Amino acid sequence: MSYSRIFAVTGLALALSTPAFAGSADTPVIDKRQAAQEQRIDQGIASGQLTEREAARLDRRQDRIDNMENRAKSDGVVTNKERARIHHAQDVESRKIYREKHDRQHR
C-alpha cells in the first residue's frame, strides 16, 4: 500500500470520527425536559396552583432556556460545557416551578 493511500485512509477515518468527539447539535434530553417543564406550568395554570403572573414569569424563563439551547446549537455542535449550563438552568427553573406551584397564591 502506498503512503498516499495510507494518508488518505487515515485522513478519512479522522474526519469521520471528529464529530463524535466534538459533540453534536442533538439535544433530545434537553428538549424532553423543556417539554415536561412547560407541561408542569400548563398544569399549574389549569389547576389554579399558578397565577397568571407567575405562569407568565415561568414561561419567560423557559424561553430564556430555549434561547440558550438555540445559541448553543447555532454552530452545529453543543459542547459538554454548554449542555452543563443548560442542565443547570433547567434545574434552577424546575425548583422555581415547584416553589411557585406550592406557595399559597392561587388564582
Side-chain angles (χ1 to χ4, degrees):
M1 195 176 222
S2 69
Y3 286 111
S4 62
R5 188 175 243 175
I6 291 171
F7 286 124
V9 170
T10 304
L12 180 62
L14 184 60
L16 293 176
S17 66
T18 302
F21 292 114
S24 70
D26 295 334
T27 55
V29 174
I30 292 170
D31 294 338
K32 185 176 179 181
R33 188 162 180 202
Q34 282 295 99
Q37 290 189 176
E38 289 169 6
Q39 185 177 17
R40 288 173 58 204
I41 294 168
D42 293 342
Q43 186 275 331
I45 294 168
S47 69
Q49 290 177 303
L50 292 174
T51 65
E52 293 296 323
R53 187 174 182 180
E54 288 172 334
R57 187 178 321 121
L58 293 170
D59 281 333
R60 280 193 307 273
R61 290 177 178 155
Q62 289 302 120
D63 290 343
R64 182 180 145 264
I65 295 172
D66 285 335
N67 289 335
M68 287 175 66
E69 180 183 7
N70 291 336
R71 280 192 310 272
K73 286 181 175 183
S74 67
D75 63 356
V77 175
V78 180
T79 66
N80 287 337
K81 186 175 180 179
E82 290 169 329
R83 284 179 200 278
R85 288 184 67 217
I86 294 168
H87 285 297
H88 175 73
Q90 287 178 321
D91 290 343
V92 169
E93 294 311 314
S94 179
R95 285 189 296 271
K96 288 179 182 178
I97 293 168
Y98 178 86
R99 280 195 298 260
E100 293 292 353
K101 286 179 71 174
H102 292 86
D103 63 9
R104 294 182 183 256
Q105 297 176 6
H106 300 285
R107 77 178 150 116

